[in-house]
Amino acid sequence: MQRYIARRALQSLLALWVMSLIVFAMARLSGNALDMMLPMEATQEDYDRLSKYWGLDQPMHVQYGIFVSRALRGDFGMSWKWPGYSAMGLVMDRLPATLQLAGFALAISVVIALPIGVLSAVKKGTAWDTSGKIIALLGQSLPGFWLGIVLMWVFAVNLGWFPTSGRGGLQYMILPAITLGWFQVAALMRLVRSSMLDVLDSEFVKLTRVKGLAEWKVVWKHCLRNAAIAPLTFFAIIAGVLMTGSVVTETVFSWPGTGLLAIDAVRARDYQVVQAVVIVFATIFILTNLLVDILYAYLDPRIRYR
């Protein structure tokens, strides 16, 4: 088990290093940031002075070396768009809002997907099952930005039940959380349904029915408990996806989280903040997958020897 964890940890570090290379290269390929920072009438001397100040006059490999050495200390430099603020400080300030939205979206996904998945499996081939499949199809087909705009138009603009944007109480979170979590409802529902179908055909379930247990107790207590292993291991991946997938939703609803910060930083070509956001998101996603792999290996020892 220790060798498996060490191997997966090394693979995760390798993935993080590759991600740092991609982020560094993509930030430089997006254009000259000095064009955004200097006015139209700036002279060549102004460009040279600012380029030297930010270290952009150095060769690329030197810039990358400086970037990695600072990143290992959690220092991504100062923001260009927001003077006086460090890039990592801005990310940490916005991260709680993203965590709050992702957590609420995850709760909504579970509350909706769990009963639909169980009912689809128990009533296989009926109208319940067909309805569940339609919900799954819609959930994985509808683009997040389109769903967010439609929800905003119906429930915020026409009905006036919820605010259109911003961060505040519970009413501010409902529409963006549904938009963010709807795709995961479909994925989680299908996983619960397939796991329940496997358990419903097992011998111990037939035995519980022969003993005369009530059907609701067989389904919701015995079957669901045994069918929950696969969805639980998938749970961590969903949490990572919701965190990293918040960029579009936060932009649509002007939710002041890390995703909106990333979009603003890209528009301003703020290399420091873009790099900090992507590295933090990549680290969260890679750590989440590492934890899931370890959990899988703990639940199923055969995985350790593959």
Side-chain angles (χ1 to χ4, degrees), residues 17 63 68 110 118 125 132 146 239 280 284 290:
W17 173 68
Q63 291 186 40
V68 172
V110 173
V118 171
W146 183 87
V280 167
I284 291 172
L290 176 62

Side-chain angles (χ1 to χ4, degrees), residues 85-94:
Y85 292 92
S86 69
M88 185 54 77
L90 285 168
V91 174
M92 290 298 108
D93 285 344
R94 299 287 192 93

Side-chain angles (χ1 to χ4, degrees), residues 8 12 236-237 240 284-294:
R8 288 293 299 116
S12 299
I237 295 178
I284 291 172
F285 195 81
I286 289 172
L287 284 177
T288 303
N289 277 275
L290 176 62
L291 290 174
V292 170
D293 288 345
I294 294 173

Side-chain angles (χ1 to χ4, degrees), residues 144-179:
F145 71 91
W146 183 87
L147 179 62
I149 292 172
V150 169
L151 290 176
M152 186 188 297
W153 180 69
V154 174
F155 296 102
V157 177
N158 288 295
L159 298 177
W161 292 354
F162 305 103
T164 56
S165 60
R167 184 189 181 198
L170 182 64
Q171 71 273 22
Y172 284 85
M173 285 198 295
I174 291 177
L175 293 185
I178 292 174
T179 303

Side-chain angles (χ1 to χ4, degrees), residues 1-16 286 289-291 293-294 297 300-306:
M1 187 68 177
Q2 287 83 359
R3 286 184 59 188
Y4 174 79
I5 294 175
R7 189 169 70 248
R8 288 293 299 116
L10 284 176
Q11 291 171 349
S12 299
L13 288 175
L14 180 62
L16 198 56
I286 289 172
N289 277 275
L290 176 62
L291 290 174
D293 288 345
I294 294 173
D300 187 355
R302 293 173 298 178
I303 295 176
R304 306 173 199 169
Y305 303 105
R306 290 179 183 174

Side-chain angles (χ1 to χ4, degrees), residues 13-221:
L13 288 175
L14 180 62
L16 198 56
W17 173 68
V18 172
M19 180 57 67
S20 73
L21 275 175
I22 295 173
V23 170
F24 180 82
M26 293 300 291
R28 266 64 184 176
L29 291 174
S30 64
N32 189 355
L34 299 182
D35 293 336
M36 300 289 293
M37 301 170 67
L38 290 171
M40 294 288 290
E41 61 274 12
T43 63
Q44 185 60 44
E45 287 75 18
D46 295 328
Y47 273 86
D48 293 342
R49 179 174 47 80
L50 202 58
S51 180
K52 185 177 181 180
Y53 178 79
W54 289 108
L56 298 177
D57 58 337
Q58 300 291 326
M60 280 295 175
H61 66 278
V62 175
Q63 291 186 40
Y64 178 71
I66 295 172
F67 164 68
V68 172
S69 64
R70 287 180 175 175
L72 291 174
R73 300 193 301 269
D75 178 12
F76 287 84
M78 302 300 290
S79 169
W80 297 347
K81 178 177 171 58
W82 296 275
Y85 292 92
S86 69
M88 185 54 77
L90 285 168
V91 174
M92 290 298 108
D93 285 344
R94 299 287 192 93
L95 196 57
T98 300
L99 288 172
Q100 183 188 30
L101 182 61
F104 195 59
L106 187 61
I108 287 179
S109 300
V110 173
V111 168
I112 296 176
L114 199 62
I116 295 178
V118 171
L119 288 174
S120 294
V122 173
K123 300 182 181 299
K124 181 183 176 184
T126 65
W128 276 102
D129 190 21
T130 304
S131 301
K133 290 177 181 176
I134 291 174
I135 290 173
L137 182 64
L138 289 176
Q140 296 191 317
S141 303
L142 297 178
F145 71 91
W146 183 87
L147 179 62
I149 292 172
V150 169
L151 290 176
M152 186 188 297
W153 180 69
V154 174
F155 296 102
V157 177
N158 288 295
L159 298 177
W161 292 354
F162 305 103
T164 56
S165 60
R167 184 189 181 198
L170 182 64
Q171 71 273 22
Y172 284 85
M173 285 198 295
I174 291 177
L175 293 185
I178 292 174
T179 303
L180 183 60
W182 188 251
F183 182 85
Q184 303 307 328
V185 168
L188 194 58
M189 188 276 285
R190 293 180 65 175
L191 197 58
V192 171
R193 179 182 181 276
S194 61
S195 298
M196 282 292 294
L197 286 176
D198 290 339
V199 175
L200 284 169
D201 289 335
S202 59
E203 294 298 325
F204 88 89
V205 173
K206 296 174 183 174
L207 182 62
T208 55
R209 284 174 173 152
V210 169
K211 287 183 176 179
L213 283 179
E215 185 64 20
W216 70 268
K217 190 174 287 187
V218 172
V219 172
W220 294 98
K221 184 178 179 181

